[in-house]
Amino acid sequence: GKHKRYKRVRKTLEYFRINHGIKSPYKMIVDGEFIQQALRYKVHIKEQIPKLFSSPVMPCVTRCTVSALRKKGDSHSGASLIAKRFTRVPCIHEGIIDERECISGLAGKSNDQHYCYAAQDVKLRNTIRKVPAAPLSFLREAVPILETPSQASKVKAKEAMDEKRGLSTFEEKNLTELREENKTEKKRRKRKGPKGPNPLSCKKKRRKPQPAPKKKNPSRPSEDPSRRSEEESKDKPKLNQEDWERRKRRRRRGKKKKIGVNGETDLKNGVKPDEIRHNDDSSTKNNPQTEKAAEMSILEGW
């Protein structure tokens, strides 16, 4: 449909803009047959072609085109009048020659002047298709059509892209020198061996939580006293020979203390309990008051 045709035209013009630098406003060289076809189907070239291109287009003719239309007589008199209104493009050659040769000469080998072409003549169209970077359009009855890029245009665009991607002469010289230097140097051989696991794919080792140290309770019955004495002896500082002798003397003095009836000693005074009783009796005898009290207790008992 119409929408697809306009979309195709936009893509084609974008291709020529990117790869060949053909930009708006466009200059379109028109041949005599194209003007005659437009007049027959009532196509207004200055209105319809800019609408198709979605940008300003200036239709142009050569001196050879106007003279060719005049020679054809009254049948092409209307087309010659329309051609006079279009802008004139100077020809490359001298004098007036055939219209096909004139337009193909303007196109040249690479369309350096960035012209667009509207040709209804089949032979002229075939010659312009061989020229790269030359947008070509024609009329299909009353419908103007822009052709897709020709094979020559595609080849040229590909060559230009390869040149941009490729290396310059200076870079190529440096590359050749570097390659020669690398050949002289000995290549280091990589040792092939067993490879370990990937550290990123392995799980990290989890540390076990350490238990809190248990407090020693001396009042526990389950605790071994010999073990406790060993631990205490480790904590105690080591004694000299003089300290050992002092301890021995203290022990000897403790043995000389008198032992009681039941094998127990008075810790305060170091005296037997019988001796304490004896001293109490003696104190009572010497005291007269205590004697009287004792007698009175005896009489009461009787």
Side-chain angles (χ1 to χ4, degrees), residues 214-218 222-237:
K214 293 180 181 179
K215 292 181 181 180
K216 294 176 181 179
N217 192 1
S222 62
E223 196 172 1
D224 192 2
S226 63
R227 188 177 177 184
R228 184 181 160 193
S229 62
E230 284 176 6
E231 288 176 357
E232 286 176 358
S233 64
K234 284 178 184 177
D235 296 336
K236 286 180 182 179

Side-chain angles (χ1 to χ4, degrees), residues 12-27 110-116 132-135 153 156-157 160 164:
T12 306
L13 291 172
E14 189 69 16
Y15 174 84
F16 281 111
R17 186 186 68 79
I18 292 164
N19 294 299
H20 304 292
I22 299 168
K23 299 176 183 177
S24 174
Y26 302 103
K27 285 183 179 180
S110 59
N111 193 23
D112 296 328
Q113 294 179 357
H114 293 170
Y115 287 129
C116 295
S153 300
K156 190 181 178 182
K164 287 179 183 178

Side-chain angles (χ1 to χ4, degrees), residues 3-249:
H3 180 69
K4 285 184 179 179
R5 187 171 69 251
Y6 278 92
K7 190 177 179 182
R8 201 183 303 117
V9 168
R10 281 199 300 272
K11 285 177 80 175
T12 306
L13 291 172
E14 189 69 16
Y15 174 84
F16 281 111
R17 186 186 68 79
I18 292 164
N19 294 299
H20 304 292
I22 299 168
K23 299 176 183 177
S24 174
Y26 302 103
K27 285 183 179 180
M28 181 175 278
I29 293 171
V30 184
D31 72 335
E33 290 297 324
F34 186 87
I35 298 166
Q36 183 66 22
Q37 183 81 357
L39 185 64
R40 190 185 300 163
Y41 287 100
K42 296 178 183 180
V43 176
H44 201 285
I45 294 168
K46 284 187 177 180
E47 289 180 4
Q48 293 289 332
I49 301 299
K51 193 177 179 182
L52 179 70
F53 280 39
S54 302
S55 57
V57 179
M58 186 170 64
C60 306
V61 291
T62 60
R63 189 175 55 181
C64 299
T65 303
V66 176
S67 65
L69 287 168
R70 279 176 188 170
K71 286 176 184 177
K72 286 180 181 178
D74 295 333
S75 60
H76 289 75
S77 60
S80 64
L81 288 168
I82 294 165
K84 284 177 185 179
R85 294 173 188 175
F86 294 160
T87 55
R88 293 279 182 95
V89 174
C91 298
I92 297 167
H93 55 84
E94 291 181 359
I96 295 167
I97 59 170
D98 187 31
E99 186 185 6
R100 290 174 192 165
E101 291 177 6
C102 180
I103 293 170
S104 60
L106 279 171
K109 291 182 179 179
S110 59
N111 193 23
D112 296 328
Q113 294 179 357
H114 293 170
Y115 287 129
C116 295
Y117 298 92
Q120 203 67 23
D121 189 7
V122 178
K123 289 182 180 178
L124 183 60
R125 268 194 274 173
N126 291 331
T127 52
I128 290 167
R129 284 191 190 109
K130 293 174 184 177
V131 178
L136 180 63
S137 58
F138 63 94
L139 283 171
R140 187 176 289 164
E141 292 182 355
V143 180
I145 289 167
L146 179 70
E147 286 188 359
T148 55
S150 61
Q151 191 64 31
S153 300
K154 289 177 181 178
V155 170
K156 190 181 178 182
K158 193 178 180 182
E159 286 174 359
M161 288 295 289
D162 291 338
E163 284 177 5
K164 287 179 183 178
R165 289 174 184 171
L167 300 169
S168 62
T169 52
F170 176 72
E171 288 173 343
E172 284 178 359
K173 285 179 183 178
N174 288 334
L175 273 173
T176 51
E177 288 175 3
L178 288 168
R179 282 168 186 168
E180 287 174 0
E181 288 176 3
N182 288 329
K183 284 178 183 179
T184 55
E185 291 178 1
K186 291 181 180 179
K187 292 181 181 178
R188 293 180 181 177
R189 292 181 181 177
K190 291 182 181 179
R191 293 183 179 179
K192 292 182 180 179
K195 293 180 181 178
N198 187 1
L200 298 172
S201 64
C202 297
K203 285 186 177 179
K204 291 182 180 179
K205 291 182 179 179
R206 292 183 180 177
R207 292 181 180 178
K208 292 181 180 179
Q210 294 180 355
K214 293 180 181 179
K215 292 181 181 180
K216 294 176 181 179
N217 192 1
S219 62
R220 266 185 168 182
S222 62
E223 196 172 1
D224 192 2
S226 63
R227 188 177 177 184
R228 184 181 160 193
S229 62
E230 284 176 6
E231 288 176 357
E232 286 176 358
S233 64
K234 284 178 184 177
D235 296 336
K236 286 180 182 179
K238 291 182 179 180
L239 300 172
N240 298 331
Q241 192 171 0
E242 293 178 1
D243 296 335
W244 281 112
E245 288 177 358
R246 284 175 192 167
R247 284 193 175 188
K248 284 178 183 179
R249 287 171 194 166

